[in-house]
Amino acid sequence: MTAISQPKSSAMNTLGNIWRKGGVLIAFTVLSGVFAVLSPRFLTIDNWLNVLLQTSTIGIVAIGMTFVIVTAGIDLSVGSTVALSGMVAAVAMRAGSPGLIGILVALTVGGLVGLFNGFSITKLGVTPFIATLATLAMGRGLTLAVSNGQTIFSFPDSYNYLGEGEIAGIPVPVIVLLLAFIVAHFVLSRTVFGHGVYAVGGNREAARLAGIHTGRTELLVYVIGGVLCGLSGIILMGRLDAALPTSATGLELNAIAAVVIGGASLFGGKGTMFGTLLGALTIGVLANGLNLLNVSPFWTQFIQGAVIFVAVLSDSLSQRKKN
Amino acid sequence: MPLLTMTNISKRFGAVQALQDVSLTLDAGEVLGIVGENGAGKSTLIKILGGAYFSDTGSIVFDGESITIDHPEYSLSRGISVIYQELSLVPELSVAENLFLGHMPRNVLGGIKHNEVMQRSRTLLERIQLDVSPRQRLADLRIDARQLVEVGKALSRDVRVLVMDEPTSSLNEKEVQHLFSVVRNLKAEGVAVIYISHHLEEVFEICDRVMVLRDGKEVDTRPTTEWTPTQIVEAMVDRPIEDFYPKANVPIGDVVFRADGLSLNDRVQNVSFDIRAGEIVGLGGLPGSGIIETAQIIAGIRRATGGTMTLQGQPYHPQSPHSAIQSQVGYVPEDRKEQGLFLEFSIRRNIALSILSKLSKFGVVNNKSTEAIAQKAIVDYKIKAAGTGAPVKSLSGGNQQKVLLARVGQSDPILMIMNDPTRGIDVGAKVEVYERIGEFVQQGGAVLLLSSELPELIGISDRIVVLRNGQKIADIPRNEFSQNVIMSYAAGTSGGNNE
Ligand SMILES: Nc1ncnc2c1ncn2[C@@H]1O[C@H](COP(=O)(O)OP(=O)(O)OP(=O)(O)O)[C@@H](O)[C@H]1O
Ligand SMILES: [Mg+2]
């Protein structure tokens, strides 16, 4: 007689599927619930604005990373790109450029780094991992070189506005973050370009035969990622009113984590902007809550790592089931 | 007593009742054929036997013992091996590693016993009459050899029931005969075989009994001698089919496409032919003859190294599949899973992909018109699915193929290149595809057809251009078609010089 139970091996696969189908929402809600019970300060508006503010730099970078990861790519150079674009702008403004030019410089430098990544990947055929790993090193080196290893301070208010301004009590970075997500969500889910991004990640050969410009799509994805790094760099610098040559070191890990926790697959073809936003917020809430509870920062880092591990694990488990 | 009895098996996927109270028996040394339309439930039934799916109700008795198959490993341990419709080998591994995938002979320390692996691999390769080295990388083998390695992999365990789900969908006549001779040997050894196929001639040749499924229910099971092909088809599709290769009488018009001296290194050499409006031109040849490369050049997938092409009198030099599609040249690739479809994506997304620019304004896709197009395609192509939002991977093999055809049809081609357009689809659906191809040429379209099935090529082509070793050997008009004529040109026993 056939039994009613499901095959045993599926227990782990089910874990993968549950995560995919809204695990991030559950994780985020449960986590917030726990912190709300444990710390009275957690649920205040001030604290939430703080979480959003802390999330803004990672979140904006994670938007670009989502595009990249959905094409089955990866961008390890984002931390260096954030630092480099901010630093070049800082050097320009120290030489007398007005704030607006500084902003344009940062965005352009970010875009150029992305263009370089995209070019090596699509035209020279270097794998995304290796190409962007090289850019990570080169970008950080350039940052140190143009700044002479020094921190540069104090920029025009027009430049700092994006990082430290407020509109009706809401920090400008938070507004920028949310706007960027709305636009990106629309681009990824509703436009021809967005459909192409999914297609390239879902099955590159089939996409090419179906008439998608796979190379152009991929190139653009890295450029978008780079420009968003520039934006993130502006916000980061503006908040501190300083450009550090070592800023945003290791940012790639958190950005990738936000995307994967948000349900995207490192194997491509899957992922949403909404998921990434929740993924970034989950990381932010985790850091914020543990901080409110006076957990040591060392343990905070460990716990964040563990959460990333679970997310990546469920990704490869559901991938294994497919094969 | 039968070796295997499955009784009243039912399985439901959401709203789809894939199987309802299906029963079968199987004796040792017997070959049971299972036939039925796309989505009839054939694969689902044998996936239950293989432990890939779990049935909702029903019971299974094997070797006189009531068993519960809750895991693929359990089936294997009882000697039930299933070769699924989609091959499950690992291209990057060697033949030997594939043969023993998941149960490499190991010593006490967990090391692989290399000598034993090589020895046993050679014995297995002998049993499947395959002349390759166990060390060869699987990716370097042709598709028919891979199919045989699948059989070898099943034999690497003590197999008592061997199940094959459409093993010949991409094999040619000779390769099929090779597979059959292996099957006959197994049968003589007392292995029971379940054989699923859309090719009725094969079923009649190899099966002792044939079961027909329709809409998840068993229609009838009889000894092969008590079936006629017409009866089987009628049982499958619930209506008689008069003509398996319907061919509309279409007036042949002006030249639509012309290739002049087309070359690709030494794989295609100086090939010239034209295709007229209303015409279906078959492109025949053995593997390696250059027909696939020729098709790919026209589809913009490869660049020719020599020669010129014209499309409706204009020079035609596609730089990419995209520019071919822009020039209204459509291509149906032979491998729907690798080159055609996005299995995880919805039917809607798959169908709309090539015409997104038409469905959008300022780069924004109009969801309503996308949905409308997808719904129309589901009706037009008779795609059996829960809805336009269902992921393509949830469809049966044949319905997946129809999704691919629907996508290529969307971009409004004037020339369609079809490489095995009816691969894995049932007799009824084949006739529908031929009818759609007929409608397409009736409206002035031109078709270049490649097919692994010679009867199909002969059945619907107006002319057949035969290539051999990259060269055009013959251009045969319809009134001179016969399997013999075409094979003798393709194999080199007539026309041109023998090699
Ligand atoms: N995993 C699944 N999820 C949802 N529906 C499924 C799934 N697998 C099969 N089905 C549905 O069950 C029905 C039977 O499918 P099955 O694959 O058994 O057909 P088949 O007879 O093998 O067809 P084909 O000849 O096209 O391979 C189909 O309607 C199919 O869409
Ligand atoms: Mg099937």
Side-chain angles (χ1 to χ4, degrees):
Chain A
M1 273 293 144
T2 42
I4 314 107
S5 73
Q6 282 291 310
K8 295 165 204 96
S9 69
S10 67
M12 291 299 261
N13 295 328
T14 317
L15 175 73
N17 276 337
I18 291 180
W19 186 275
R20 179 75 17 90
K21 294 224 173 80
V24 64
L25 197 59
I26 299 169
F28 179 74
T29 316
V30 169
L31 212 58
S32 305
V34 170
F35 286 135
V37 171
L38 292 181
S39 164
R41 271 204 291 150
F42 182 76
L43 272 189
T44 59
I45 290 180
D46 269 359
N47 189 51
W48 275 95
L49 285 178
N50 188 27
V51 169
L52 280 165
L53 185 62
Q54 300 295 339
T55 308
S56 56
T57 37
I58 295 174
I60 289 170
V61 172
I63 292 173
M65 191 67 82
T66 307
F67 283 109
V68 170
I69 285 181
V70 171
T71 66
I74 193 89
D75 188 350
L76 300 177
S77 70
V78 288
S80 300
T81 311
V82 167
L84 179 65
S85 46
M87 188 57 80
V88 175
V91 171
M93 289 183 290
R94 191 177 56 186
S97 301
L100 219 55
I101 298 294
I103 289 174
L104 281 179
V105 167
L107 296 178
T108 308
V109 170
L112 285 175
V113 175
L115 190 66
F116 179 77
N117 282 333
F119 182 81
S120 347
I121 292 162
T122 59
K123 293 284 179 317
L124 305 180
V126 187
T127 61
F129 188 92
I130 302 295
T132 59
L133 185 65
T135 320
L136 178 153
M138 292 192 290
R140 186 62 66 183
L142 269 179
T143 311
L144 288 161
V146 295
S147 64
N148 242 331
Q150 304 291 311
T151 301
I152 298 178
F153 296 97
S154 102
F155 313 116
D157 284 348
S158 55
Y159 185 85
N160 285 350
Y161 182 74
L162 280 178
E164 59 174 14
E166 273 189 11
I167 295 174
I170 303 173
V172 172
V174 174
I175 295 169
V176 173
L177 174 77
L178 296 178
L179 277 179
F181 263 107
I182 292 169
V183 172
H185 169 76
F186 182 80
V187 170
L188 186 60
S189 63
R190 291 294 313 278
T191 64
V192 175
F193 169 70
H195 282 245
V197 169
Y198 280 109
V200 168
N203 185 342
R204 178 175 313 261
E205 181 63 4
R208 192 172 79 90
L209 294 191
I212 303 287
H213 294 288
T214 50
R216 201 186 292 174
T217 304
E218 247 186 316
L219 188 77
L220 203 52
V221 150
Y222 286 92
V223 172
I224 291 174
V227 171
L228 287 168
C229 284
L231 181 60
S232 181
I234 298 166
I235 290 175
L236 191 63
M237 272 170 71
R239 264 169 63 198
L240 303 172
D241 195 20
L244 282 64
T246 54
S247 69
T249 306
L251 183 71
E252 60 279 356
L253 181 67
N254 278 328
I256 294 167
V259 177
V260 175
I261 291 173
S265 169
L266 289 173
F267 300 94
K270 239 181 224 165
T272 61
M273 282 301 162
F274 185 65
T276 296
L277 177 60
L278 279 179
L281 285 177
T282 303
I283 295 177
V285 161
L286 201 61
N288 173 267
L290 293 173
N291 180 28
L292 288 180
L293 298 178
N294 288 323
V295 176
S296 116
F298 304 139
W299 280 109
T300 304
Q301 195 158 25
F302 174 81
I303 293 169
Q304 281 182 347
V307 170
I308 296 171
F309 178 75
V310 172
V312 177
L313 181 71
S314 60
D315 180 28
S316 29
L317 284 176
S318 58
Q319 183 70 19
R320 194 182 320 158
K321 184 183 173 192
K322 254 191 336 196
N323 295 338
Chain B
M1 191 184 51
L3 177 61
L4 172 75
T5 313
M6 297 175 81
T7 313
N8 293 335
I9 305 286
S10 298
K11 175 79 187 175
R12 169 181 279 276
F13 295 103
V16 181
Q17 187 75 43
L19 287 175
Q20 192 169 355
D21 291 327
V22 173
S23 304
L24 67 79
T25 62
L26 189 64
D27 288 323
E30 182 190 35
V31 183
L32 172 69
I34 304 182
V35 297
E37 284 185 290
N38 297 127
K42 307 179 293 293
S43 298
T44 305
L45 183 62
I46 57 108
K47 279 180 184 163
I48 289 168
L49 186 58
Y53 290 161
F54 202 73
S55 66
D56 299 336
T57 63
S59 59
I60 301 176
V61 176
F62 183 72
D63 223 1
E65 186 194 329
S66 185
I67 60 170
T68 304
I69 301 176
D70 56 1
H71 195 274
E73 204 51 47
Y74 179 81
S75 300
L76 289 171
S77 74
R78 297 305 298 251
I80 301 172
S81 265
V82 180
I83 302 174
Y84 293 108
Q85 204 164 354
E86 273 75 38
L87 296 187
S88 63
L89 300 171
V90 186
E92 292 79 28
L93 295 182
S94 71
V95 169
E97 284 164 324
N98 271 294
L99 286 171
F100 292 98
L101 207 63
H103 67 126
M104 270 286 176
R106 288 177 190 277
N107 58 30
V108 278
L109 296 175
I112 291 170
K113 296 183 185 164
H114 279 291
N115 289 341
E116 189 185 329
V117 170
M118 284 304 144
Q119 196 98 48
R120 285 178 59 191
S121 294
R122 278 191 203 100
T123 319
L124 282 172
L125 289 171
E126 231 160 82
R127 272 178 87 188
I128 54 174
Q129 305 158 27
L130 189 59
D131 191 19
V132 300
S133 155
R135 295 179 203 281
Q136 206 160 338
R137 230 166 54 105
L138 190 84
D140 299 334
L141 299 189
R142 286 224 315 266
I143 182 95
D144 56 314
R146 290 194 211 179
Q147 191 72 53
L148 287 163
V149 172
E150 279 276 8
V151 177
K153 182 178 148 203
L155 301 183
S156 71
R157 313 197 188 224
D158 269 331
V159 60
R160 302 189 58 200
V161 176
L162 178 65
V163 183
M164 291 188 271
D165 195 352
E166 293 188 38
T168 59
S169 60
S170 45
L171 304 190
N172 67 29
E173 184 67 17
K174 203 171 132 218
E175 296 159 348
V176 171
Q177 285 310 322
H178 184 167
L179 182 72
F180 279 3
S181 103
V182 173
V183 171
R184 286 196 187 96
N185 287 344
L186 291 174
K187 185 174 147 74
E189 291 170 24
V191 175
V193 177
I194 295 181
Y195 188 85
I196 298 177
S197 178
H198 287 297
H199 300 271
L200 294 187
E201 354 44 275
E202 291 172 17
V203 172
F204 273 94
E205 182 175 346
I206 196 83
C207 299
D208 301 306
R209 278 188 307 138
V210 181
M211 169 159 107
V212 178
L213 288 181
R214 186 172 69 228
D215 293 332
K217 295 188 205 95
E218 179 184 350
V219 182
D220 203 355
T221 307
R222 298 184 208 164
T224 312
T225 47
E226 291 171 27
W227 282 113
T228 66
T230 327
Q231 286 169 335
I232 288 199
V233 171
E234 234 186 288
M236 278 170 66
V237 302
D238 203 17
R239 64 171 192 276
I241 292 183
E242 261 105 50
D243 187 359
F244 286 93
Y245 297 105
K247 182 129 182 72
N249 212 338
V250 180
I252 306 293
D254 296 336
V255 171
V256 169
F257 170 84
R258 172 168 286 151
D260 216 338
L262 221 49
S263 297
L264 181 74
N265 304 322
D266 57 351
R267 298 165 75 176
V268 178
Q269 299 168 25
N270 203 19
V271 168
S272 306
F273 62 94
D274 52 26
I275 310 175
R276 292 168 173 274
E279 197 177 31
I280 302 172
V281 174
L283 193 57
L286 300 176
S289 62
I291 54 172
I292 295 195
E293 289 80 355
T294 304
Q296 288 177 333
I297 291 171
I298 304 171
I301 301 166
R302 287 170 189 260
R303 301 262 184 93
T305 51
T308 56
M309 295 183 275
T310 56
L311 191 67
Q312 294 194 312
Q314 304 295 317
Y316 169 66
H317 295 289
Q319 303 295 308
S320 64
H322 178 84
S323 68
I325 292 171
Q326 292 297 305
S327 312
Q328 292 177 289
V329 174
Y331 180 65
V332 180
E334 68 271 30
D335 188 338
R336 62 170 171 267
K337 197 175 149 204
E338 296 292 327
Q339 307 168 310
L341 294 169
F342 303 82
L343 296 178
E344 304 280 329
F345 298 176
S346 64
I347 296 175
R348 191 190 310 133
R349 205 168 255 249
N350 270 281
I351 287 180
L353 204 64
S354 292
I355 49 159
L356 284 176
S357 49
K358 265 191 241 167
L359 292 173
S360 61
K361 228 185 212 155
F362 307 116
V364 179
V365 180
N366 183 332
N367 285 345
K368 263 206 200 109
S369 25
T370 309
E371 174 65 22
I373 286 218
Q375 270 181 8
K376 184 166 184 306
I378 282 193
V379 175
D380 285 354
Y381 289 80
K382 302 201 174 77
I383 297 167
K384 199 175 162 194
T388 59
V392 165
K393 69 173 174 192
S394 73
L395 303 183
S396 77
N399 283 297
Q400 295 184 2
Q401 184 72 23
K402 293 186 199 169
V403 171
L404 179 57
L405 290 172
R407 174 168 76 227
V408 178
Q410 295 305 321
S411 50
D412 202 15
I414 45 177
L415 169 64
M416 264 223 259
I417 303 156
M418 309 184 119
N419 195 346
D420 256 343
T422 62
R423 178 192 259 200
I425 72 181
D426 66 58
V427 276
K430 269 187 188 173
V431 172
E432 283 162 20
V433 169
Y434 301 144
E435 281 167 356
R436 292 205 71 89
I437 296 177
E439 280 166 29
F440 173 70
V441 290
Q442 221 148 20
Q443 288 154 16
V447 171
L448 182 66
L449 176 73
L450 284 70
S451 175
S452 55
E453 291 170 46
L454 203 44
E456 173 173 284
L457 209 58
I458 289 176
I460 66 165
S461 301
D462 293 295
R463 257 187 315 131
I464 297 180
V465 172
V466 182
L467 302 193
R468 183 169 84 228
N469 295 324
Q471 286 165 348
K472 179 173 159 186
I473 294 296
D475 192 334
I476 310 167
R478 186 169 173 90
N479 55 19
E480 290 171 26
F481 282 178
S482 82
Q483 301 223 11
N484 275 339
V485 168
I486 290 158
M487 276 318 290
S488 63
Y489 278 117
T493 45
S494 69
N497 39 345
N498 292 353
E499 323 248 342

